[in-house]
Amino acid sequence: MEAYETEEQQVEAIKSWWKENGKAVVVGGVVGIGAILGWKYYQSTKIEAKETTSISYEKTLTALQNSGAEAAESTQAFITAHAKSEYAVLAALQLAKVQVDAGQLDAALEQLNWVASNSKDESLIATAQVRSARIQAEQTQFDAALATLANVKPTSWAARVAELKGDIALSQGDVATARTAYTEALQAGMNQAVQMKLDDLAE
């Protein structure tokens, strides 16, 4: 009898609790399911957007390869439309390369500066900075080139930075500084081409 009464009391307690809280449980369940479905939809949409951007990027690269600098306008449209994506950064690097090949150095510099300011990848930023410095050196803007190189942070780029500093010094007729820079480049692990440059400067 005691057990029966206890079970009845439990049933009544459950009924009472459900009466007071049932609506909240149902609403909470619906909200929870809605949140899960919403999250899945968000993830699905995000993946779809990435795939669409990737396809557009491939088309942009193909246009650059086939048309060169003539594809600058469509490439810039892609970069602008996907400015927060690393795809835009990669497209800007490719566009800059094409513009350099076409002798459009100022336009290339503009793209490389954009990459350096907008990329979140240190290696891509360093790539843009070193390429910018090369262009600036080509334009005999030596001080600007050295200032750009001073902003290159990754130590893995130390050899390339040192070699370019040597090239700049040599262009300015400063053989001693060039020799020092080439030596630093070799010590940082640069290739045989730098050794040849250094050998050419042997006293």
Side-chain angles (χ1 to χ4, degrees), residues 44-61:
S44 175
T45 303
K46 193 174 180 181
I47 291 171
E48 185 177 340
K50 283 186 176 180
E51 290 175 349
T52 301
T53 303
S54 177
I55 292 171
S56 296
Y57 172 69
E58 292 297 331
K59 290 180 179 178
T60 299
L61 284 191

Side-chain angles (χ1 to χ4, degrees), residues 19-194:
K19 185 176 181 180
E20 294 177 4
N21 302 285
K23 185 177 180 180
V25 170
V26 172
V27 172
V30 170
V31 171
I33 292 172
I36 292 172
L37 293 177
W39 174 252
K40 286 185 177 180
Y41 175 75
Y42 168 75
Q43 289 293 94
S44 175
T45 303
K46 193 174 180 181
I47 291 171
E48 185 177 340
K50 283 186 176 180
E51 290 175 349
T52 301
T53 303
S54 177
I55 292 171
S56 296
Y57 172 69
E58 292 297 331
K59 290 180 179 178
T60 299
L61 284 191
T62 299
L64 280 174
Q65 290 168 358
N66 294 337
S67 304
E70 293 180 6
E73 186 175 346
S74 60
T75 303
Q76 186 59 58
F78 172 84
I79 293 169
T80 301
H82 304 281
K84 294 184 179 180
S85 165
E86 287 299 302
Y87 282 112
V89 169
L90 294 174
L93 284 173
Q94 290 300 318
L95 177 54
K97 182 178 183 300
V98 166
Q99 288 170 330
V100 167
D101 292 341
Q104 300 171 3
L105 301 186
D106 288 336
L109 268 178
E110 186 176 341
Q111 294 298 330
L112 294 171
N113 288 336
W114 185 87
V115 170
S117 299
N118 290 274
S119 178
K120 298 179 179 62
D121 187 289
E122 280 194 351
S123 181
L124 292 179
I125 292 171
T127 298
Q129 290 169 329
V130 169
R131 290 181 183 179
S132 291
R134 289 189 188 282
I135 293 173
Q136 289 167 328
E138 180 71 18
Q139 295 177 321
T140 67
Q141 299 176 16
F142 300 123
D143 290 341
L146 292 172
T148 299
L149 290 176
N151 291 323
V152 179
K153 303 302 181 187
T155 55
S156 58
W157 285 78
R160 294 176 192 176
V161 169
E163 180 186 7
L164 187 47
K165 285 181 178 179
D167 292 343
I168 292 170
L170 196 58
S171 295
Q172 293 177 300
D174 190 345
V175 175
T177 298
R179 186 181 295 112
T180 299
Y182 289 148
T183 300
E184 289 177 0
L186 284 172
Q187 291 173 343
M190 208 54 193
N191 57 33
Q192 189 64 28
V194 178

